[in-house]
Every structure is written in structure tokens, then in C-alpha cells.
Amino acid sequence: MTPPPAGSHAAHAYLDHAATTPVRPEVLAAMAEAMAEAGNASSVHGPGRLARSRLEAARRAVAERVAVAADRVVFTSGGTEANHLALLGLIGPRLVSAIEHASVLEAVPEATRVPVDAAGRLDLAALAGLLRGHRPAVVSVMLANNETGVIQPVAEAARLAHAHGSLLHCDAVQAFTKLPFTLAGLGADLLTVSAHKIGGPPGIGALVLRDGLEVVPLQRGGGQELRRRAGTENLPGIVGFSRALGLATDWERVRRLRDRTEAAARALHPAAIVVGGGADRLPNVVCLLTPGLSAEVQLMALDLAGVAVSSGAACSSGKVGPSHVLAAMGFTPELARCTIRVSLGWSSTAADVKRFADAWGTLLARRSGRAASPVPA
Ligand code: PLP
């Protein structure tokens, strides 16, 4: 059987890019080439030297993207490990925003959580107050939230942290390549990125460290990654990561598709709420709350209709649990349970949006006993 071409998703309208992006065909080709080559980057023979040169070229590509020197980039097994390395590799009380990804929250369960406002933005006044009582701290604030897409005031948080002698770590996994930023521009001391949200493969990411800052390694037993992370490097993944970085996405096109998705949802059901809709957001995420219509019912109906979306944060568990992000924004558990995330990306098309709108409209009509009306998607 011939597999469908990468990114085509013949069976589904794939609208779950915030969970993981389809791997771009150019990335698959580059990874296949890298996989076909023998060679450990630590070996001194020719194949080893070739592997080393591919590894270092990829490191430079990641470093250039956030304007740091190449030796400030540590490849990890993904965003989760990079977040752990940042938060467990430094000493000090931790202050983390209440809407961080589970890989931050559960890495440091004892951390003090900094609240967000009703729009899902970090409460800077609360952070300032907490910094006065916890110094010098390690503060962790994501650049954009994975459930709502709401962009966080990282540069302001970094200024506050530094004014109190503290460090700032930023999980930029969702924002990477969708927003232009550099490590220095954010004022961050540490930055997490991951390949599988940008058209690269899962299982590879990086922690970026500002000049002069080091972390205590989590993995020891080899000199790799400048002694910061032991273990033979995932070269095919690293090559795929850097290839994905070299591929442009027209985010304005994606934003227009996102806006169409929202307009179609509002037209079908005026009571539906775009969570975080009033705040600056990523161009690709719609967090859609439909009072009275559970995410489970929506996910199942959409899946049956060939449309892949997520509930709030079910990035890894596959089950619909309560969203700590919506809770932090003040939504009741009942409302939070009625939220789905539609997320677009490089492979999304107007046909995907129409398929979503048609399927969602059919579900609403079925529930209200009316016939579905045509959707302006
Ligand atoms: N941080 C955020 C904001 C994420 O959305 C994710 C994945 O969903 C991660 C971290 C974890 O990254 P990875 O899947 O590469 O471990």
C-alpha cells in the first residue's frame, strides 16, 4: 500500500498542529539521508567527522534563529527535557506561571504559581510581589500558551526578574518560528524550543542558554553537548530539526484561515466564545468554548467526520481532563470541559476549515434538532 504523501492527511482534515505538526516532506528526505549514513559525531574517522559537521551545522541553524553563539545551544530529546534541564539544572526558588505546560509544572511541583488575568496573560504585578519574597528565583514564563495561543509578556517578566536578581526561563515551544524573537530581545536567560511543532520530527528539541550561564546536567556519562547532556546525539532528528527551520510558512495565510475558522464558528453558534480572543495570540490557535457542548462529544463527532482537533491540553494523555489553563483564567470546570482547540499550520487549507465548519455545524444542528445550514467558511 502506498502511504499518502507527507502532510496530505487524506483521511482527516488535520487541525491539531499545536499538538504536533505533520513532518514536512523536505524534513523527511533530509532525515532519511542522515539515517542512511553511519557515523557517531564523537568518532574521529571520516563518517564520524561527517556526522559532527552535520551536527554542528544544525546547531548553528538553531543558534542563528535566536541570535546566540552556536555553543549556547544544547540539543535535548524535546521541549519536555529542555524544560526539565532549565528548571532542575538551576538552584533557587521557582516561580512559574499558572498556565505553563505540564512539563514545567510537573518538573517543579513545589514551585509557586504566578496567576494570569481573565485574558490568560501573566499578572505582572503579582509576579513583582512574589519576586520580592523569593529571591533570587528562577522564573518560568512561556512565550505563547499551548491551549489558547495567548502571547505572554516575557520581556516585561524578564525585566522584573532581573531587577530582583533572578533568572528567567522561557518555554517558546509554541511560538517558535511563528513569532519573530531572539533570546536577547526577550531578555530570557534560558529558552526552550522543540522540532515537532515546526514541521520537524518529535523527540528533538533544544535548550538555549545565554552567555555565561550554565546548568547542572540531568544526564551524565558522556561528554556530548559540551558536557551538558550525555548521550549519543539524535542526528537524524537534529538534521530534521534544522531542515524544518529552513522552511518558511506563510503565517499571514494561516492567520486568515484561523480568522475564517472563528468567523464560521461564531456564525454557526453566536454563544461560542473564542477564549483569549481579546488578547494578542499566535496566528494558528483557536480555543473554542461552546457552553453546554462537551469537548468529548465534539471531539468524537469531529473525528467521525474526519476532522482532527484537540480538547484543551490533551497533548499527550489522549483523554479529556480539566484544563489548568482555563481554570487559571477563571472558567468554571463545567465551562472548561466544553472547550476544544483547533490549531492550524503549514499544511492547513481552506478545505480543512470548511470541513471543520461543516462537521461542527452538523453536530450543532443535530443537537438542536434543526437541519444544518450552509456555512460561510
Ligand atoms: N511546552 C509546550 C508549550 C508545549 O506545547 C509542549 C508540547 O506540547 C512541550 C513543552 C513539550 O514539548 P515536547 O513534546 O517536545 O517534549
Side-chain angles (χ1 to χ4, degrees):
M1 196 178 111
T2 317
S8 72
H9 301 282
H12 268 78
Y14 186 79
L15 293 170
D16 204 11
H17 281 246
T20 195
T21 47
V23 176
R24 296 183 73 147
E26 299 89 337
V27 169
L28 277 180
M31 289 181 71
E33 198 184 312
M35 265 182 165
E37 286 165 357
N40 183 320
S42 301
S43 301
V44 293
H45 46 59
R49 291 199 304 277
L50 180 62
R52 166 66 53 192
S53 76
R54 288 197 190 286
L55 173 63
E56 296 312 327
R59 196 188 306 285
R60 284 194 298 277
V62 176
E64 271 166 25
R65 198 63 183 227
V66 292
V68 297
D71 69 352
R72 307 316 300 165
V73 173
V74 186
F75 284 117
T76 64
S77 64
T80 299
E81 185 192 325
N83 283 342
H84 277 68
L85 189 54
L87 286 155
L88 301 178
L90 294 167
I91 293 166
R94 275 71 159 201
L95 303 177
V96 305
S97 93
I99 57 164
E100 291 303 303
H101 188 262
S103 59
V104 166
L105 295 178
E106 292 181 30
V108 283
E110 75 291 354
T112 303
R113 296 197 184 182
V114 187
V116 296
D117 63 18
R121 271 173 56 102
L122 182 76
D123 181 338
L124 288 164
L127 174 63
L130 286 166
L131 278 164
R132 280 192 281 277
H134 298 77
R135 67 169 80 181
V138 180
V139 180
S140 191
V141 180
M142 65 199 335
L143 187 47
N145 182 262
N146 48 298
E147 293 186 39
T148 62
V150 170
I151 296 168
Q152 301 301 313
V154 171
E156 291 90 326
R159 272 194 288 279
L160 283 174
H162 294 158
H164 290 83
S166 299
L167 294 172
L168 186 116
H169 164 249
C170 175
D171 174 346
V173 164
Q174 292 289 342
F176 195 38
T177 74
K178 299 181 189 96
L179 302 178
F181 63 86
T182 62
L183 184 77
L186 291 176
D189 299 287
L190 310 98
L191 188 78
T192 291
V193 291
S194 178
H196 74 110
K197 313 288 182 174
I198 68 160
I204 186 71
L207 181 67
V208 180
L209 304 169
R210 72 139 159 84
D211 273 348
L213 184 68
E214 287 303 331
V215 285
V216 178
L218 297 178
Q219 292 174 205
R220 301 186 181 85
Q224 293 92 348
E225 296 300 297
L226 293 169
R227 311 201 79 81
R228 295 173 181 133
R229 198 255 183 197
T232 303
E233 302 86 352
N234 168 7
L235 195 58
I238 289 169
V239 165
F241 188 4
S242 103
R243 187 72 190 95
L245 268 181
L247 299 167
T249 296
D250 180 352
W251 289 111
E252 278 315 306
R253 184 189 75 83
V254 175
R255 185 190 300 278
R256 285 194 295 276
L257 290 175
R258 193 259 335 245
D259 291 348
R260 257 160 112 160
T261 309
E262 294 182 1
R266 284 203 189 92
L268 285 162
H269 194 65
I273 300 162
V274 174
V275 176
D280 279 346
R281 284 179 297 149
L282 292 179
N284 69 318
V285 177
V286 183
C287 182
L288 187 64
L289 192 164
T290 311
L293 186 54
S294 81
E296 259 138 336
V297 166
Q298 296 183 66
L299 253 54
M300 278 189 288
L302 289 168
D303 190 32
L304 282 173
V307 180
V309 303
S310 272
S311 69
C315 168
S316 59
S317 64
K319 70 175 183 16
V320 181
S323 157
H324 67 282
V325 174
L326 292 158
M329 292 170 73
F331 289 98
T332 62
E334 291 70 35
L335 283 175
R337 270 196 286 276
C338 297
T339 307
I340 60 168
R341 178 184 67 188
V342 183
S343 55
L344 305 95
W346 70 269
S347 64
S348 302
T349 62
D352 293 337
V353 173
K354 176 149 180 21
R355 198 151 159 203
F356 162 75
D358 285 348
W360 200 66
T362 302
L363 169 66
L364 290 172
R366 204 187 309 135
R367 287 180 64 89
S368 67
R370 283 184 287 106
S373 51
V375 178

